[in-house]
Amino acid sequence: MKRYSLLLVLLVALSACLAPPIKPPADKSGGLHTILVIPVEPPPLEVMPDLIESRLPIYRQNDTVPFDLFLEKKIYRNPGGVLIAGLVSHDDIVPVAAPPRTTAAPENVFGLEPAASLAESWTPTLVLAREAAALLTAGGLNAISAEHYYRLPIAPRNRTANLAYWHGAIRQWYNADTSPVDYRSHGSERVDAVLEVGIGTYKIFESQTPLQVLVKLIDPATGQVIGRTGADASPIAGAAPTLLDHEAEKFKKFVSDLGAKLVHRGLTDLELPASRQARSDERSIETASMAIANSRHE
């Protein structure tokens, strides 16, 4: 129970670092017809306890192994393409992930990169951005799922397994009141607003899997943020080795299903028409979250 309580305290502290929500003015949200949906680069997945203990059992609480000589924290790609920040040994079976390259093409808009450059990895915000576009389309809007993503402002030397850099960049993106991207020069079709879809908390802690979805609504004519909100849940989904086994099929489905509900909640908070029902009852999120407090794990 103490471990779960500690995690809840940490999640509340992280949420407190985020700027307060903004509701779009009625004259803005009511006049939207075409929305461009942009995924934001997500952080690597954080897993506790570290998967090195299940991947290479020799490192499981073995005091005779000099960890510093053989282990290093890296961003690596599991067989399902999920990027994970964790310990890697010198003779490990998982490949260390190279950061996506930026393109210098003149037609590129500052801050945006082709989504195709992420093809080697499974990117949860790409999945959730498509879900947002589907929900908005079902609500009667013309929602365009972008072929680009917003690259977090992290210096190349800081694109490491130190998640403090990633979380700092996510806060910087979410808290900004204006967008650094000039969406007027992006794409040939005129859009009334841009919806950016990002992820804050993204981890597996014991059997608990906290997920936080952050969305921002931007006026492309001025770059002004006219709406932002977040939704989160911390259900108990199972141990990391089980979720990430078999090319992480269970984990991907879990993030996709839970993320869809959180996206729907965010769109509702922004008073955007997303009329399609979430893929399962929203109350299941609350029920799963309540399981933390009632858990018998001590």
Side-chain angles (χ1 to χ4, degrees), residues 72-84:
E72 190 174 358
K73 199 162 186 181
K74 296 276 191 180
I75 298 175
Y76 64 89
R77 185 183 296 106
N78 89 330
V82 178
L83 294 180
I84 301 172

Side-chain angles (χ1 to χ4, degrees), residues 135-185:
L135 287 167
L136 292 170
T137 298
L141 296 178
N142 177 23
I144 305 168
S145 190
E147 297 180 357
H148 290 73
Y149 72 97
Y150 176 82
R151 182 177 170 89
L152 290 173
I154 305 175
R157 67 179 180 279
N158 294 333
R159 288 182 164 269
T160 67
N162 184 345
L163 292 174
Y165 294 119
W166 295 87
H167 294 155
I170 290 166
R171 287 193 298 271
Q172 179 182 337
W173 158 73
Y174 183 78
N175 291 350
D177 292 326
T178 57
S179 173
V181 180
D182 183 2
Y183 283 112
R184 294 172 302 179
S185 59

Side-chain angles (χ1 to χ4, degrees), residues 22 174 176-179 216-219 223-228:
I22 298 174
Y174 183 78
D177 292 326
T178 57
S179 173
K216 295 180 68 176
L217 193 65
I218 298 165
D219 182 345
Q224 186 72 26
V225 174
I226 57 176
R228 69 174 166 229

Side-chain angles (χ1 to χ4, degrees), residues 109-121:
V109 180
F110 172 76
L112 297 184
E113 291 291 334
S117 65
L118 301 173
E120 291 185 358
S121 304

